[in-house]
Amino acid sequence: MAISLKESLIVGFFDFWSRKIRSFVTITGIVLGTMSIIVVLSLVNGINKKTLEWMMERGGLTKITVYRDWNYNNKRKLSTYFSLKEIELIRSLIPEAKYMNPQIRHHVKFSYEDKEYRGPIFGVYPDFSDIEEWDAGKGRFISNFDIRQSNDIVVIGTKVKEELFGNKKALGQMITVHNRRLQVIGIMEHRYLYNSGNLGSKNALSYLNRRSFTPLSTMIHKGTGEDNIGSFAVKAQDVKSAPDLRRKLEAIILNLRAGEPVFRIESAQEEAEEMEENAAKFRIIFFLVSAISLLVGGIVIMNIMLASIQERTREIGIRIAVGARRRDIFLQFLVQTILVTTIGGVFGIILGLSILDIVSKYLDFELIAGGFMILVALMVSAGIGLIFGISPAIKASKLNPVEALRYE
Amino acid sequence: MEELIKIQNIKKEYKMGKITVPALNGIDLEINKSDFVAIMGPSGSGKSTLMHILGCLDTATFGEYFLNNEKVSGMKKSKLAAIRNKQIGFVFQTFNLLPHLSVQKNVELPLMYAGLSKRNRIKRAREVLAEVALSDRVKHKPSELSGGQRQRVAIARAIVNSPAILLADEPTGNLDSSSGRDILTIFSELHLKGHTIIIVTHDSAVAERANKIVHIVDGLIKNGDFS
């Protein structure tokens, strides 16, 4: 003789339904708690995904970049630039690297006929295009031949083209860059990545379209005459070999600067890992914050269930009189609490997904609520019912039937 | 006659703080199958306590209780629950129906705890509701019924599992005289069908229908009167 779990569920659901208003008020805390879990965790995931997307747009996870470390206390006054010779030496020491691009950046004036434009120009190698996965959309990018010949050429960004030429043809034209005449041989592909939540440009990559590129050799030998390379980037064959390459590169550079870390090395893969670690921390923190609201919801439910048991004392007495065991009463109330919190969880998930849908549309930003997250939210809400339902259920099951039947 | 209930030297004490209050002071009683017993006595005499012990809702402090030759005193709570479910049916003065359940669902309750399938529960509940002439009220809530009808629902619930004993505590106490007579007629009919009925009552009209009257005074049986 026993009341099955299915029966307990039916009884629990019937109880929930027969006290609709109270039930819905009871689950409010759980609805809000579950909703916040879904929304907040989806936001963290969405931001994480967006950042990763941005990193992929900037050359992917195999990219390793070497910069001057501005924060390093360079007491020995070691050079914080690489010479072209040093760059060639480094390149020869890392044959396993797929690409390498040293670069010098200057901010200069561009002019064509009566139009002027101020912006950055980069002296680069042809590998730039492969490292950044960004090529000329029209014309061509810098070639090895251009480097060898130190050709007077320039490849301009779409913004530069727009500012100097408007709708006119740019390819083949001569422009003046920092008092030197350079021929436009290419226009870079337009870069675009939707930037949500920012009051500035809607394009997170608009700064790239303002850039222009010339052979590094042209810049050094015919331009400024300064052989000061402030940074370079290399690309590993694959993600797996990137950490080894990074370590090797670090050892070479330290060797070149007498063991002093004058340069900083950043690996996109490490950044991605760090970002994932941070996202995991955020997920835990936000989850705990949401869990607090669920906890409060749980305490409210426990309180209501205890009051409900007081109110239903006679009912419990009747059930015991007709043959309910203590276990049946315990199960009935526990299942009812779990049912209430789970229903709350379901409503919270629906509400959370609806909010995500609205926010996604409003910000044009993909917010991902995965199946696992929904499952976790559901399990947490059911778990809250289990934890906070035990005490009222024990109290109900321990009622003295004679006293319960006399209860007014 | 076949013996159904045998209690020997049953005592019941209640603790109220440091004070012990005796409710039953050594009751010996034998009830046979198909008896119609009326337990009478003044308020506070211990008759309800005796009914609760007979109905396995409460346990005696001392003494032995045999039901169908099985020793009930000292049994585990889960076994007592099984006895309440299968062998005992309760009818209370205040009906004790669950107000949010329909008549049908109220009657199904003991069957649910007996583990019957929904289909069998509905079938059996409809049968007993027909026996108490409430076939047309199955979907009604208790609040939509008269006092007499509510008590008939309570009787249907009490007999739905075909128990060995029907225990009633002042079953006509909350009814007008006409409804009360109807209820007593049902008890008489059930008695004729072979049910063992034990009624706790103040009402001599109820006692008149019994074939055995037990008078309790100060927790002791004053006399057992067989008619």
Short mmCIF file of all heavy atoms in Angstrom, two decimals, chain A residues 235-268:
data_model
loop_
_atom_site.label_atom_id
_atom_site.label_comp_id
_atom_site.label_asym_id
_atom_site.label_seq_id
_atom_site.Cartn_x
_atom_site.Cartn_y
_atom_site.Cartn_z
N LYS A 235 52.58 34.46 -36.81
CA LYS A 235 51.43 33.55 -36.77
C LYS A 235 51.95 32.12 -36.76
O LYS A 235 52.77 31.75 -37.61
CB LYS A 235 50.54 33.78 -37.98
CG LYS A 235 49.13 33.32 -37.74
CD LYS A 235 48.18 34.00 -38.69
CE LYS A 235 46.77 33.79 -38.22
NZ LYS A 235 45.81 34.42 -39.09
N ALA A 236 51.47 31.34 -35.78
CA ALA A 236 51.92 29.95 -35.68
C ALA A 236 51.19 29.12 -36.72
O ALA A 236 50.17 29.55 -37.29
CB ALA A 236 51.60 29.44 -34.28
N GLN A 237 51.73 27.92 -36.98
CA GLN A 237 51.10 27.03 -37.97
C GLN A 237 49.67 26.68 -37.55
O GLN A 237 48.76 26.64 -38.37
CB GLN A 237 51.91 25.72 -38.12
CG GLN A 237 53.28 25.91 -38.74
CD GLN A 237 53.21 26.17 -40.24
OE1 GLN A 237 52.17 26.00 -40.86
NE2 GLN A 237 54.31 26.62 -40.83
N ASP A 238 49.52 26.39 -36.22
CA ASP A 238 48.19 26.05 -35.71
C ASP A 238 48.11 26.41 -34.22
O ASP A 238 49.11 26.79 -33.62
CB ASP A 238 47.89 24.55 -35.91
CG ASP A 238 49.06 23.68 -35.47
OD1 ASP A 238 49.57 23.93 -34.37
OD2 ASP A 238 49.47 22.79 -36.23
N VAL A 239 46.90 26.29 -33.68
CA VAL A 239 46.65 26.67 -32.28
C VAL A 239 47.53 25.85 -31.33
O VAL A 239 48.04 26.35 -30.34
CB VAL A 239 45.15 26.50 -31.95
CG1 VAL A 239 44.88 26.71 -30.46
CG2 VAL A 239 44.31 27.45 -32.77
N LYS A 240 47.72 24.58 -31.68
CA LYS A 240 48.48 23.67 -30.83
C LYS A 240 49.94 24.12 -30.67
O LYS A 240 50.52 24.03 -29.59
CB LYS A 240 48.43 22.27 -31.45
CG LYS A 240 48.34 21.16 -30.43
CD LYS A 240 48.19 19.85 -31.15
CE LYS A 240 48.64 18.70 -30.27
NZ LYS A 240 48.66 17.45 -31.01
N SER A 241 50.54 24.58 -31.77
CA SER A 241 51.96 24.94 -31.72
C SER A 241 52.19 26.38 -31.24
O SER A 241 53.34 26.78 -31.02
CB SER A 241 52.59 24.73 -33.10
OG SER A 241 51.99 25.62 -34.02
N ALA A 242 51.11 27.15 -31.07
CA ALA A 242 51.25 28.56 -30.68
C ALA A 242 51.95 28.76 -29.34
O ALA A 242 52.85 29.62 -29.23
CB ALA A 242 49.89 29.24 -30.70
N PRO A 243 51.62 27.99 -28.28
CA PRO A 243 52.29 28.22 -26.98
C PRO A 243 53.80 27.99 -27.07
O PRO A 243 54.59 28.75 -26.50
CB PRO A 243 51.63 27.22 -26.04
CG PRO A 243 50.32 26.91 -26.67
CD PRO A 243 50.56 27.00 -28.14
N ASP A 244 54.23 26.95 -27.81
CA ASP A 244 55.66 26.66 -27.94
C ASP A 244 56.38 27.81 -28.66
O ASP A 244 57.47 28.23 -28.26
CB ASP A 244 55.87 25.36 -28.74
CG ASP A 244 55.62 24.14 -27.87
OD1 ASP A 244 55.63 24.32 -26.63
OD2 ASP A 244 55.41 23.04 -28.42
N LEU A 245 55.72 28.29 -29.71
CA LEU A 245 56.30 29.38 -30.49
C LEU A 245 56.44 30.63 -29.63
O LEU A 245 57.45 31.34 -29.68
CB LEU A 245 55.44 29.66 -31.72
CG LEU A 245 55.94 30.74 -32.67
CD1 LEU A 245 57.32 30.39 -33.22
CD2 LEU A 245 54.97 30.96 -33.82
N ARG A 246 55.44 30.85 -28.82
CA ARG A 246 55.46 32.02 -27.93
C ARG A 246 56.64 31.94 -26.96
O ARG A 246 57.38 32.91 -26.77
CB ARG A 246 54.14 32.08 -27.14
CG ARG A 246 54.01 33.32 -26.29
CD ARG A 246 53.11 33.07 -25.10
NE ARG A 246 52.90 34.28 -24.34
CZ ARG A 246 53.78 34.82 -23.53
NH1 ARG A 246 54.98 34.26 -23.39
NH2 ARG A 246 53.52 35.92 -22.86
N ARG A 247 56.84 30.76 -26.38
CA ARG A 247 57.94 30.57 -25.43
C ARG A 247 59.30 30.77 -26.12
O ARG A 247 60.19 31.42 -25.58
CB ARG A 247 57.85 29.17 -24.80
CG ARG A 247 56.89 29.11 -23.62
CD ARG A 247 57.01 27.80 -22.87
NE ARG A 247 56.46 26.69 -23.65
CZ ARG A 247 55.17 26.37 -23.64
NH1 ARG A 247 54.32 27.05 -22.90
NH2 ARG A 247 54.72 25.36 -24.36
N LYS A 248 59.40 30.21 -27.32
CA LYS A 248 60.66 30.32 -28.07
C LYS A 248 60.96 31.78 -28.39
O LYS A 248 62.08 32.27 -28.20
CB LYS A 248 60.56 29.50 -29.35
CG LYS A 248 61.88 29.33 -30.08
CD LYS A 248 61.74 28.38 -31.23
CE LYS A 248 63.02 28.31 -32.02
NZ LYS A 248 62.87 27.51 -33.24
N LEU A 249 59.92 32.49 -28.81
CA LEU A 249 60.05 33.89 -29.17
C LEU A 249 60.49 34.72 -27.96
O LEU A 249 61.36 35.60 -28.06
CB LEU A 249 58.68 34.37 -29.68
CG LEU A 249 58.66 35.54 -30.64
CD1 LEU A 249 59.57 35.31 -31.83
CD2 LEU A 249 57.22 35.76 -31.14
N GLU A 250 59.93 34.41 -26.85
CA GLU A 250 60.25 35.12 -25.61
C GLU A 250 61.73 34.94 -25.26
O GLU A 250 62.43 35.91 -24.93
CB GLU A 250 59.37 34.59 -24.47
CG GLU A 250 59.40 35.47 -23.25
CD GLU A 250 58.34 35.06 -22.24
OE1 GLU A 250 57.84 33.92 -22.31
OE2 GLU A 250 58.03 35.90 -21.39
N ALA A 251 62.20 33.69 -25.41
CA ALA A 251 63.61 33.39 -25.10
C ALA A 251 64.54 34.15 -26.06
O ALA A 251 65.55 34.74 -25.62
CB ALA A 251 63.85 31.88 -25.22
N ILE A 252 64.17 34.18 -27.33
CA ILE A 252 65.02 34.88 -28.33
C ILE A 252 65.10 36.36 -28.00
O ILE A 252 66.19 36.97 -27.99
CB ILE A 252 64.45 34.66 -29.76
CG1 ILE A 252 64.58 33.19 -30.16
CG2 ILE A 252 65.17 35.55 -30.77
CD1 ILE A 252 63.78 32.82 -31.40
N ILE A 253 63.95 36.95 -27.71
CA ILE A 253 63.91 38.40 -27.47
C ILE A 253 64.66 38.77 -26.19
O ILE A 253 65.40 39.76 -26.14
CB ILE A 253 62.45 38.91 -27.46
CG1 ILE A 253 61.86 38.74 -28.86
CG2 ILE A 253 62.36 40.36 -27.03
CD1 ILE A 253 60.37 38.86 -28.91
N LEU A 254 64.47 37.94 -25.17
CA LEU A 254 65.20 38.19 -23.91
C LEU A 254 66.70 38.13 -24.16
O LEU A 254 67.47 38.92 -23.63
CB LEU A 254 64.79 37.17 -22.85
CG LEU A 254 63.49 37.48 -22.09
CD1 LEU A 254 63.11 36.32 -21.20
CD2 LEU A 254 63.64 38.76 -21.26
N ASN A 255 67.09 37.19 -24.98
CA ASN A 255 68.49 37.02 -25.32
C ASN A 255 69.05 38.26 -26.03
O ASN A 255 70.18 38.69 -25.78
CB ASN A 255 68.60 35.79 -26.24
CG ASN A 255 69.85 35.00 -25.93
OD1 ASN A 255 70.45 35.19 -24.86
ND2 ASN A 255 70.26 34.14 -26.83
N LEU A 256 68.20 38.81 -26.91
CA LEU A 256 68.62 40.01 -27.67
C LEU A 256 68.75 41.24 -26.77
O LEU A 256 69.42 42.20 -27.11
CB LEU A 256 67.61 40.30 -28.78
CG LEU A 256 67.67 39.40 -30.03
CD1 LEU A 256 66.48 39.69 -30.94
CD2 LEU A 256 68.97 39.62 -30.79
N ARG A 257 68.04 41.24 -25.63
CA ARG A 257 68.06 42.41 -24.75
C ARG A 257 68.65 42.06 -23.38
O ARG A 257 68.13 42.50 -22.35
CB ARG A 257 66.64 42.97 -24.57
CG ARG A 257 66.06 43.65 -25.82
CD ARG A 257 66.79 44.94 -26.15
NE ARG A 257 66.28 45.55 -27.39
CZ ARG A 257 66.71 45.23 -28.59
NH1 ARG A 257 67.65 44.30 -28.77
NH2 ARG A 257 66.23 45.83 -29.65
N ALA A 258 69.63 41.24 -23.35
CA ALA A 258 70.40 40.90 -22.15
C ALA A 258 69.52 40.45 -20.99
O ALA A 258 69.74 40.79 -19.83
CB ALA A 258 71.23 42.11 -21.73
N GLY A 259 68.49 39.69 -21.34
CA GLY A 259 67.63 39.12 -20.30
C GLY A 259 66.61 40.09 -19.71
O GLY A 259 65.89 39.73 -18.78
N GLU A 260 66.57 41.29 -20.22
CA GLU A 260 65.61 42.28 -19.67
C GLU A 260 64.30 42.24 -20.47
O GLU A 260 64.33 42.35 -21.70
CB GLU A 260 66.21 43.69 -19.77
CG GLU A 260 67.46 43.89 -18.95
CD GLU A 260 67.18 44.27 -17.51
OE1 GLU A 260 66.02 44.63 -17.20
OE2 GLU A 260 68.11 44.21 -16.70
N PRO A 261 63.19 42.09 -19.78
CA PRO A 261 61.91 42.02 -20.51
C PRO A 261 61.42 43.40 -20.97
O PRO A 261 60.45 43.93 -20.46
CB PRO A 261 60.95 41.38 -19.50
CG PRO A 261 61.53 41.75 -18.18
CD PRO A 261 63.02 41.90 -18.34
N VAL A 262 62.13 43.95 -21.93
CA VAL A 262 61.79 45.27 -22.46
C VAL A 262 60.52 45.18 -23.31
O VAL A 262 59.78 46.14 -23.45
CB VAL A 262 62.98 45.79 -23.31
CG1 VAL A 262 62.66 47.16 -23.88
CG2 VAL A 262 64.24 45.84 -22.47
N PHE A 263 60.29 43.96 -23.84
CA PHE A 263 59.12 43.77 -24.70
C PHE A 263 58.07 42.88 -24.03
O PHE A 263 58.39 42.02 -23.21
CB PHE A 263 59.54 43.14 -26.03
CG PHE A 263 60.41 44.06 -26.86
CD1 PHE A 263 61.80 44.00 -26.78
CD2 PHE A 263 59.82 45.00 -27.69
CE1 PHE A 263 62.59 44.86 -27.53
CE2 PHE A 263 60.61 45.87 -28.44
CZ PHE A 263 62.00 45.80 -28.35
N ARG A 264 56.88 43.10 -24.44
CA ARG A 264 55.75 42.32 -23.93
C ARG A 264 55.27 41.43 -25.07
O ARG A 264 55.19 41.88 -26.22
CB ARG A 264 54.64 43.27 -23.53
CG ARG A 264 53.58 42.71 -22.63
CD ARG A 264 52.93 43.84 -21.81
NE ARG A 264 52.50 44.95 -22.66
CZ ARG A 264 51.28 45.06 -23.18
NH1 ARG A 264 50.38 44.14 -22.94
NH2 ARG A 264 50.97 46.09 -23.93
N ILE A 265 54.99 40.17 -24.73
CA ILE A 265 54.50 39.25 -25.77
C ILE A 265 53.07 38.83 -25.44
O ILE A 265 52.80 38.37 -24.33
CB ILE A 265 55.40 38.00 -25.87
CG1 ILE A 265 56.84 38.45 -26.14
CG2 ILE A 265 54.89 37.06 -26.96
CD1 ILE A 265 57.83 37.32 -26.17
N GLU A 266 52.21 39.04 -26.38
CA GLU A 266 50.80 38.67 -26.16
C GLU A 266 50.38 37.61 -27.15
O GLU A 266 50.61 37.76 -28.35
CB GLU A 266 49.90 39.89 -26.33
CG GLU A 266 49.78 40.69 -25.05
CD GLU A 266 48.89 41.90 -25.21
OE1 GLU A 266 48.19 41.99 -26.24
OE2 GLU A 266 48.91 42.74 -24.30
N SER A 267 49.79 36.57 -26.59
CA SER A 267 49.30 35.51 -27.48
C SER A 267 47.77 35.57 -27.46
O SER A 267 47.16 35.62 -26.40
CB SER A 267 49.82 34.17 -26.97
OG SER A 267 48.87 33.18 -27.14
N ALA A 268 47.20 35.57 -28.65
CA ALA A 268 45.74 35.65 -28.76
C ALA A 268 45.09 34.47 -28.06
O ALA A 268 44.05 34.58 -27.43
CB ALA A 268 45.33 35.68 -30.22
#
